[in-house]
Amino acid sequence: MAVKTLADLLAEGPEGVAGRGVLVRSDLNVPLDDEGKITDTGRIIASVPTLKALAEAGAKVVVTAHLGRPKGTPDPQLSLAPVAAALGEKLGRHVQLAGDVVGTDALARAEGLTDGDVLLLENIRFDPRETSKDDAERLALARELAALVEGADGSPGAFVSDGFGVVHRKQASVYDVATLLPHYAGTLVDAEVKVLEQLTSSTERPYAVVLGGSKVSDKLAVIENLATKADSLIIGGGMCFTFLAAQGVPVGTSLCQVEMIDTCKRLLDTYADVIHLPVDIVVADKFAADAEPETVASDRIPEGKMGLDIGPESVKRFTALLSNAKTVFWNGPMGVFEFPAFSAGTKGVAEAIIGATEKGAFSVVGGGDSAAAVRQLGLAEDGFSHISTGGGASLEYLEGKTLPGIEVLES
């Protein structure tokens, strides 16, 4: 990636950072429970190194981020207030929260920042211009964001892109602001792209890909792209049932995308020696944590039952495939890992990847639910070579797509 990084910004010396306004786009889109409490602080922890380095260097740090999917209007349930508190705790310093995005409170607080202060703007998606398809609307918001870090003498601040989970989006705080300010890749974005470059350019074989999640349509492009590059492509999760249906076996009431069956048939025919499906399934009569689990052969799912996890024999077979891998990419759980009775498949495959890593494999967890599963199932995060913070961005990169938030940093 031919872009300037945070290290380049810090290397410019005290005059480059100390006392200068720096706008940072972080990914702080953490999950909340029904009471509004954060259930997984992984993304907050991942954002700390860049923010800490800037604050300790004396920058006036203004952070922008989103939470959830507000419809371009303030939503108290999606305020970044709990995030500001958690971020301050992880940073070891007070983090102010503006009461708006680029309004009077944000302006007043930004003007009052002293060296080393950190200000978090309210949820950027409360402003409809952030996600607008109109270039002029996004640019107008980007100008207001840039103004928050402008020097008293009119000198420009700097922009550090550190929200890898959003670099596949052409949004005001991700893309347009980088066209207005000197721009740099933060520690997280720089590390993520280097890992993905390694997965696509200098992959050591055997190369194993593990894909889960609910829908084939969500992963179709990455399946088609990686099936030509991987030595084995393991498919689990809800999407495996569409593949099983394509083989002509009954899937009961399991999640199945009927419109994708023909596509799955084509993939199975084309990549018969690469794609591996579960041989047994853990089923139940309802989607619930207290449902009674039953393990059946993958071609013997009873009518009226739904598959909620891969079975123990599948875990054994997948473990054998992963045992000699030198490179592993995993995206998507093998089952409903949130329910303890249906979490063994995801945990078993994750442990197999950890085992391969211990033997020297380069392993990447592709963010999203996979990263959440690692933490929720109590697995050691350092058992993997890299855990991504951006599932969607990782997949689009591996599909071969251009990521707008990365492309703009190269200009």
Side-chain angles (χ1 to χ4, degrees):
M1 183 171 67
V3 304
K4 288 187 175 180
T5 66
L6 176 65
D8 294 315
L9 176 59
L10 296 175
E12 291 175 11
E15 68 280 0
V17 178
R20 185 178 183 185
V22 179
L23 180 71
V24 181
R25 190 11 164 138
S26 296
D27 181 7
L28 304 175
N29 186 28
V30 293
L32 304 175
D33 64 16
D34 293 339
E35 297 177 354
K37 293 179 180 176
I38 298 169
T39 59
D40 184 351
T41 57
R43 286 178 171 170
I44 293 175
I45 293 169
S47 74
V48 165
T50 288
L51 299 178
K52 191 168 186 150
L54 286 167
E56 290 181 349
K60 299 173 181 177
V61 185
V62 177
V63 185
T64 181
H66 77 280
L67 182 64
R69 295 182 178 179
K71 305 196 183 301
T73 187
D75 179 348
Q77 291 187 316
L78 294 175
S79 167
L80 286 174
V83 173
L87 182 59
E89 185 180 317
K90 302 297 182 187
L91 270 176
R93 64 178 65 219
H94 176 63
V95 173
Q96 297 182 55
L97 176 67
D100 47 32
V101 179
V102 286
T104 53
D105 191 52
L107 279 166
R109 288 177 182 272
E111 287 176 2
L113 292 176
T114 58
D115 296 5
D117 283 353
V118 179
L119 167 65
L120 176 61
L121 305 179
E122 187 51 283
N123 193 330
I124 187 70
R125 291 189 183 173
F126 284 178
D127 192 313
R129 296 173 295 174
E130 165 71 356
T131 57
S132 174
K133 300 299 182 188
D134 186 306
D135 292 351
E137 289 183 356
R138 289 198 320 275
L139 188 60
L141 174 56
R143 290 189 194 284
E144 292 180 51
L145 289 169
L148 295 175
V149 293
E150 188 177 273
D153 59 356
S155 59
F159 172 63
V160 175
S161 176
D162 206 42
F164 181 73
V166 289
V167 293
H168 57 317
R169 307 294 188 197
K170 193 173 186 180
Q171 297 177 345
S173 68
V174 178
Y175 177 88
D176 299 273
V177 74
T179 68
L180 304 174
L181 294 172
H183 43 265
Y184 306 82
T187 304
L188 180 60
V189 164
D190 185 40
E192 294 270 14
V193 173
K194 283 176 179 172
V195 164
L196 291 173
E197 284 176 344
Q198 187 171 340
L199 275 182
T200 53
S201 61
S202 56
T203 309
E204 191 176 352
R205 295 186 175 280
Y207 179 16
V209 174
V210 181
L211 295 177
S214 58
K215 295 182 178 179
V216 177
S217 54
D218 292 343
K219 305 277 172 75
L220 178 61
V222 78
I223 291 170
E224 292 188 313
N225 196 27
L226 294 184
T228 63
K229 299 171 181 174
D231 297 290
S232 56
L233 200 161
I234 293 165
I235 293 179
M239 61 193 244
C240 79
F241 300 109
T242 306
F243 278 92
L244 290 171
Q247 292 182 325
V249 303
V251 295
T253 58
S254 306
L255 183 64
C256 180
Q257 288 184 279
V258 176
E259 73 280 6
M260 297 298 295
I261 287 177
D262 286 343
T263 299
C264 289
K265 282 180 181 175
R266 174 178 59 79
L267 289 168
L268 288 169
D269 288 342
T270 307
Y271 305 108
D273 58 337
V274 175
I275 294 176
H276 300 271
L277 299 176
V279 293
D280 59 347
I281 298 291
V282 182
V283 301
D285 57 6
K286 60 180 179 179
F287 184 87
D290 63 352
E292 187 68 31
E294 176 190 356
T295 301
V296 300
S298 59
D299 60 353
R300 294 286 186 272
I301 297 175
E303 188 176 343
K305 299 267 190 177
M306 64 176 65
L308 297 179
D309 195 12
I310 63 171
E313 192 58 36
S314 299
V315 171
K316 284 182 188 175
R317 294 197 180 201
F318 293 166
T319 297
L321 283 169
L322 293 164
S323 64
N324 69 337
K326 294 297 184 185
T327 306
V328 183
F329 174 70
W330 169 35
N331 179 276
M334 296 293 98
V336 189
F337 71 91
E338 298 90 345
F339 298 163
F342 306 100
S343 64
T346 300
K347 187 171 186 180
V349 168
E351 288 173 340
I353 297 171
I354 290 174
T357 309
E358 289 172 346
K359 293 194 290 184
F362 177 69
S363 60
V364 177
V365 181
D369 286 342
S370 311
V374 169
R375 289 186 274 271
Q376 186 169 320
L377 297 175
L379 299 166
E381 293 187 44
D382 59 6
F384 305 89
S385 305
H386 180 78
I387 298 180
S388 176
T389 57
S394 296
L395 288 177
E396 289 200 13
Y397 188 98
L398 294 175
E399 287 170 21
K401 289 184 179 179
T402 298
L403 306 184
I406 299 297
E407 185 182 34
V408 73
L409 296 179
E410 296 171 343
S411 59

